[in-house]
Amino acid sequence: VNLFGQANGNLDAMAALGKKMYSDDKEVNGYISKALEAGVPSAGGFGIPQVLSARVIEALYAASLLDKMGVTRIPMPNGNLRMARMDTTSTVGWVGELPAASTTQPVIGDVSLSAKKLFALSEISNSLIRYNAVGMEGWLARDLQKKFRLALDYAAFYGSGTSYTPAGLANQGVQTSGSSSTALTQLVPDEMISLLKAANVPMTNVHWAMSPQMEAWLKNLKTTTGAWIFRQEMVELGTLCGYPYHVSTQISYTDTTTDYADLWLGDFDEFLWGVGLDMELRMSQDASFVSSGTTYSAFQRDSALVRVVGEHDFGVMRPVSFIKGTYSVA
């Protein structure tokens, strides 16, 4: 704005006109000056450097379960393991003085574990490694390790049992209880415990596993007089009917017109976790990789490859030692 021309060169008139037009700006010795501002790049903001925190905001991960349940890893030095199992016991009964000449014997089966490979490969630019201020390569490695453990957890419960995927508990012929239309009541936990005891399960390392939604439903169950049934025990002791429980979004929950979720119970001393290679994490700047049928060289691309790999399989000694409960809150 040409204040000089509008005020006909009169300095006092220029000051008055400037105050009217730029009432929010500063006045210095009777003259109006436009303020320099940090928030406006062209008014000086370009002179302020951006401060980058050394902290990276990581993704939210599900809670890992297998280690919390104290599951023991069984080495598989040759990538496989076979364990004999008595599937049917002998028959013993009362007879007369001269019994019939019949025999009885147990039926022997087996449990076989064969290593399945869990794998991930990620590429990261060497320029990003050189110049980043947050340890990006370490952040990437931690992310791969966490997702590796969570993939193991999910396979332990829901693995399909194909040639490349371990069979999870849901596909091991375990006991089942309830359905997506069976209402969750205060009797359910004790009924599930009784199913294990009725099957003569040793009950040496019993744990529950549930989704956050199932935990909330159990905590909010009340008697007919309005008293909490499980809440105090769950909050103060972390147990349900005397056995520890663990919560993870890995455990199935379905949000439909009728919400329902899984409630797992089992003696995890009966769970078999075969390990050929626990978890190997490596970084290479010389390796090559194939993507969509094309081979790329990390050395040529000035990048690094981060690889995580492990070989695992799952099984159960006796399927009756586990229960997959499914209940709704309709």
Side-chain angles (χ1 to χ4, degrees):
V1 178
N2 187 355
L3 296 178
F4 185 85
Q6 292 188 34
N8 297 320
N10 187 297
L11 296 180
D12 292 335
M14 287 174 62
L17 185 59
K19 285 182 179 180
K20 181 178 180 181
M21 295 179 65
Y22 305 104
S23 58
D24 294 332
D25 294 330
K26 297 179 180 179
E27 181 178 339
V28 181
N29 298 325
Y31 294 91
I32 301 299
S33 62
K34 186 68 177 177
L36 296 177
E37 300 179 39
V40 181
S42 61
F46 283 126
I48 300 176
Q50 291 283 338
V51 177
L52 178 64
S53 171
R55 179 181 178 184
V56 174
I57 301 174
E58 296 187 1
L60 297 175
Y61 299 91
S64 180
L65 295 174
L66 291 179
D67 290 327
K68 291 182 179 180
M69 293 176 171
V71 177
T72 301
R73 295 172 176 83
I74 303 173
M76 295 192 297
N78 298 320
N80 57 72
L81 178 71
R82 174 170 289 181
M83 184 180 296
R85 178 178 65 193
M86 186 182 296
D87 289 336
T88 305
T89 61
S90 304
T91 300
V92 176
W94 299 101
V95 297
E97 181 179 355
L98 297 173
S102 58
T103 61
T104 180
Q105 60 275 326
V107 176
I108 305 299
D110 72 327
V111 180
S112 295
L113 301 180
S114 178
K116 311 295 192 301
K117 186 171 292 186
L118 186 58
F119 179 87
L121 181 70
S122 183
E123 184 184 20
I124 181 171
S125 161
N126 281 332
S127 294
L128 180 58
I129 294 175
R130 283 190 288 265
Y131 302 133
N132 85 88
V134 294
M136 193 64 70
E137 66 277 20
W139 170 81
L140 173 61
R142 288 193 301 273
D143 178 64
L144 289 173
Q145 291 176 80
K146 288 180 180 179
K147 294 304 292 287
F148 184 97
R149 290 299 183 195
L150 295 180
L152 280 176
D153 267 1
Y154 186 82
F157 284 91
Y158 298 106
S160 61
T162 63
S163 56
Y164 299 119
T165 308
L169 287 172
N171 294 296
Q172 293 275 6
V174 302
Q175 298 192 71
T176 59
S177 177
S179 70
S180 61
S181 59
T182 305
L184 180 70
T185 69
Q186 67 187 69
L187 301 177
V188 165
D190 278 325
E191 288 175 347
M192 291 180 65
I193 292 170
S194 70
L195 286 175
L196 292 187
K197 291 182 175 180
N200 298 313
V201 176
M203 308 295 281
T204 55
N205 186 30
V206 177
H207 294 263
W208 300 90
M210 64 188 74
S211 66
Q213 293 82 3
M214 176 61 79
E215 179 191 34
W217 297 340
L218 287 166
K219 281 183 176 179
N220 285 297
L221 284 178
K222 296 180 181 180
T223 65
T224 55
T225 59
W228 304 113
I229 300 173
F230 303 117
R231 177 180 289 267
Q232 184 174 358
E233 178 192 3
M234 294 176 73
V235 171
E236 295 182 1
L237 302 178
T239 61
L240 177 63
C241 293
Y243 297 107
Y245 77 86
H246 309 279
V247 177
S248 174
T249 53
Q250 299 272 75
I251 303 301
S252 177
Y253 161 69
T254 302
D255 183 7
T256 59
T257 303
T258 302
D259 295 343
Y260 61 93
D262 288 346
L263 178 61
W264 287 94
L265 178 66
D267 184 348
F268 282 85
D269 278 347
E270 298 274 307
F271 189 83
L272 299 174
W273 181 0
V275 179
L277 173 65
D278 192 359
M279 180 171 61
E280 181 183 79
L281 182 71
R282 288 191 179 183
M283 176 182 286
S284 172
Q285 296 177 325
D286 303 314
S288 298
F289 66 101
V290 178
S291 178
S292 301
T294 302
T295 301
Y296 298 94
S297 166
F299 181 81
Q300 183 179 22
R301 289 164 62 87
D302 190 29
S303 64
L305 298 179
V306 182
R307 186 195 72 181
V308 61
V309 62
E311 296 187 71
H312 300 257
D313 198 14
F314 300 115
V316 294
M317 293 184 186
R318 290 163 285 227
V320 294
S321 299
F322 299 90
I323 303 173
K324 178 180 181 285
T326 303
Y327 293 95
S328 78
V329 289

